[in-house]
């Protein structure tokens, strides 16, 4: 409020802040400016609520509702995998008797806590959220271990026929799709070139010898006998595509190393050059001499 002198005398003017303001249509200040996008957001939120009621989801690690992996458990999983490391020294099948390395392997982390729980749940059910998180973890380990990954061929370890029929999918193959999508630059080439075969000479698939079923609980010798001769390259173009190419084997969990050694043998026989392997987790912690993964090419198989 102010006092002003005019020709007719003094006039008191009203405070402009107290004057009524003209009316205008309010503008939307939300996330979307278009009504169609607002409606889509509302429908998507309602659909998510309905799915959560019909098919409740719990965190595979802590049991918290609504997410397959809650924010806290995902953060701990990333902490467990923030330093990929060489892991072949904990796998007897990948070390020679003189202590030399047969096949170098980089593991994103140790098979424990949130990492092991997430891998088990993903292999059983293949949840989309777990696939996204684990694919990024695997891609980070791959990038940390190898320079020029896009010039190499990523070769997944195949699932057995019985495991594929039971699950309806191959966990390693699903992860590899996500791994390639995680690269912002040139994406590494992916070849589904290995196949599992039934080799009666090794006792695979036979009963009464302690080797039927999965490999869980088997010792080093039993695992080696079980997988020996159990892989070959695919017939036709997929198998021939490995000849003369540098290859990196991809698997989910490293135990004794027998499966990776068999995959390397099959690739080597097809003319491929195996530079190493990358896995999500290793069941045994690497020795003190095996430091964290560095941005370099680990040595390949002898003679490759």
């Amino acid at each position: 409020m102010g006092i002003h002198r005019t020709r007719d005398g003094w006039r008191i003017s009203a405070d402009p802040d107290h004057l009524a303001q003209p009316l205008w249509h309010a503008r939307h200040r939300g996330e979307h400016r278009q009504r169609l996008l607002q409606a889509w957001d509302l429908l998507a939120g309602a659909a998510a609520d309905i799915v959560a009621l019909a098919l409740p989801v719990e965190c595979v690690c802590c049991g918290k509702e609504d997410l397959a992996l809650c924010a806290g458990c995902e953060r701990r999983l990333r902490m467990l995998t923030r330093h990929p490391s060489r892991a072949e020294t904990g796998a007897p099948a990948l070390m020679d008797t003189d202590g030399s390395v047969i096949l170098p392997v980089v593991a994103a982390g140790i098979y424990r806590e949130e990492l092991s729980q997430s891998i088990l749940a993903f292999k059983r059910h293949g949840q989309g959220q777990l696939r996204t998180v684990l694919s990024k973890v695997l891609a980070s380990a791959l990038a940390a271990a190898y320079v020029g990954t896009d010039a190499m061929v990523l070769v997944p370890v195949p699932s057995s026929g019985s495991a594929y029929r039971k699950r309806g999918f191959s966990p390693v193959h699903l992860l590899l799709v996500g791994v390639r999508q995680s690269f912002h630059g040139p994406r590494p080439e992916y070849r589904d070139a290995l196949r599992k075969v039934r080799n009666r000479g090794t006792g695979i698939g036979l009963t009464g010898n302690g080797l039927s079923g999965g490999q869980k609980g088997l010792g080093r010798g039993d695992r080696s006998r079980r997988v020996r001769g159990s892989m070959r390259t695919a017939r036709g173009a997929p198998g021939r595509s490995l000849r003369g190419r540098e290859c990196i084997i991809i698997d989910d969990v490293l135990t004794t190393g027998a499966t990776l050694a068999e995959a390397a043998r099959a690739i080597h026989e097809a003319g491929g050059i195996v530079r190493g392997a990358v896995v999500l987790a290793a069941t045994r912690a690497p020795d003190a001499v095996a430091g964290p993964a560095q941005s370099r090419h680990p040595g390949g198989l002898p003679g490759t």
Side-chain angles (χ1 to χ4, degrees), residues 11-34:
R11 187 182 68 178
I12 300 176
S13 61
D15 191 334
D17 291 337
H18 294 165
L19 295 177
Q21 300 296 316
L23 298 178
W24 62 83
H25 292 291
R27 295 181 179 179
H28 175 62
R29 297 184 179 181
E31 185 178 357
H32 303 300
R33 293 181 179 272
Q34 299 181 14

Side-chain angles (χ1 to χ4, degrees), residues 29-292:
R29 297 184 179 181
E31 185 178 357
H32 303 300
R33 293 181 179 272
Q34 299 181 14
R35 291 184 179 181
L36 182 61
L37 294 179
Q38 290 179 256
W40 177 259
D41 253 8
L42 292 174
L43 288 174
D49 291 339
I50 293 173
V51 171
L53 289 174
L55 300 171
V57 178
E58 295 181 350
C59 175
V60 298
C61 298
C62 69
K64 187 177 180 180
E65 296 181 351
D66 296 336
L67 290 172
L69 188 66
C70 71
C73 291
E74 181 178 347
R75 183 168 56 253
R76 286 189 287 272
L77 187 150
R78 294 189 183 280
M79 291 294 291
L80 289 171
T81 57
R82 68 186 185 279
H83 296 307
S85 60
R86 293 280 292 269
E88 68 274 1
T89 54
L94 303 181
M95 300 295 295
D96 210 340
T97 54
D98 61 357
S100 59
V101 176
I102 297 176
L103 178 69
V105 182
V106 171
I110 306 302
Y111 190 72
R112 60 189 176 94
E113 300 173 12
E114 285 80 12
L115 181 56
S116 62
Q117 292 171 314
S118 299
I119 292 175
L120 279 175
F122 172 70
K123 293 178 71 171
R124 289 171 181 165
H125 308 293
Q127 290 103 322
Q129 184 191 0
L130 293 177
R131 170 191 168 186
T132 300
V133 174
L134 293 177
S135 293
K136 290 180 180 179
V137 167
L138 190 59
S140 297
L142 187 62
Y146 294 92
V147 174
T149 300
D150 57 295
M152 299 188 183
V153 179
L154 305 184
V155 183
V157 171
S159 297
S160 65
S162 59
Y164 185 86
R165 288 189 295 271
K166 181 179 179 180
R167 298 187 183 116
F169 64 95
S170 171
V172 180
H173 288 73
L174 281 183
L175 288 175
L176 260 186
V177 174
V179 166
R180 295 185 72 250
Q181 293 173 348
S182 298
F183 281 80
H184 300 293
R187 295 179 178 179
E189 190 176 348
Y190 154 52
R191 292 289 180 178
D192 182 19
L194 292 181
R195 299 289 184 270
K196 285 284 184 73
V197 295
R198 186 183 180 91
N199 191 333
R200 295 185 180 276
T202 62
I204 297 177
L206 302 180
T207 58
N209 60 357
L211 297 179
S212 61
Q215 296 194 71
K216 187 175 181 179
L218 297 180
R220 174 186 178 185
D222 287 340
R223 284 178 180 266
S224 297
R225 286 191 295 272
R226 182 179 178 83
V227 303
R228 190 178 301 130
S230 64
M231 294 187 203
R232 63 168 175 78
T233 51
R235 295 185 177 90
R240 293 194 301 269
S241 66
L242 299 184
R243 184 172 298 278
R245 299 293 304 277
E246 294 186 335
C247 304
I248 304 174
I249 305 171
I250 306 295
D251 204 1
D252 48 11
V253 179
L254 172 66
T255 49
T256 65
T259 299
L260 290 180
E262 173 61 16
R265 180 202 61 78
I267 294 173
H268 179 62
E269 286 189 356
I273 304 170
V274 181
R275 289 301 183 190
V278 176
V279 298
L280 272 175
T283 56
R284 304 180 185 184
D287 295 340
V289 295

Side-chain angles (χ1 to χ4, degrees), residues 10 204 295:
W10 296 92
I204 297 177
S295 297

